[in-house]
Amino acid sequence: MELHKQQIMGTLLKKITAVALTASAALLLLGSIALVAPLAVVAAEKQYLPSAPANPTIHQVYYNTTVKCEYIYNGQEWVPHDASINGYILKKYKKPNPPQNNPTAAGNSLQ
């Protein structure tokens, strides 16, 4: 009798595992479709133009075919939409460092 219970439990466990794996695969498939679909929409919206489009909207992206760089509109201006954005932000918004006090540069050199 005990062996029969173990066999039933083993079969039940296999069925539960199969259902769980099937459900996981379905969720994974749906999730991957949801991730890929927006990328396709964004890619279709990117314009390839020689200059910035007129009347842009926030987060609008275009590729400048003249300078070969992608830009995004931040609501006020077109900014680089690639790794150069870090340098752009630093150059535009970083406060300059104050001059350092250097006694040898201030005329205290030995004569």
Side-chain angles (χ1 to χ4, degrees), residues 21-82:
L21 287 174
T22 303
S24 297
L27 288 174
L28 182 62
L29 177 63
L30 291 174
S32 63
I33 290 171
L35 289 174
V36 172
L39 295 177
V41 171
V42 170
E45 292 176 0
K46 187 188 330 180
Q47 298 172 309
Y48 292 82
L49 303 168
S51 61
N55 303 320
T57 58
I58 293 178
H59 300 147
Q60 182 177 349
V61 176
Y62 92 98
Y63 183 85
N64 187 309
T65 56
T66 304
V67 296
K68 304 202 180 343
C69 185
E70 188 172 284
Y71 291 90
I72 186 168
Y73 190 70
N74 68 5
Q76 296 178 345
E77 62 186 335
W78 290 100
V79 295
H81 190 230
D82 56 16

Side-chain angles (χ1 to χ4, degrees), residues 5-33:
K5 284 184 181 179
Q6 288 178 352
Q7 289 174 341
I8 292 174
M9 292 300 287
T11 304
L12 182 60
L13 184 59
K14 286 180 185 177
K15 288 182 180 181
I16 290 172
T17 303
V19 169
L21 287 174
T22 303
S24 297
L27 288 174
L28 182 62
L29 177 63
L30 291 174
S32 63
I33 290 171

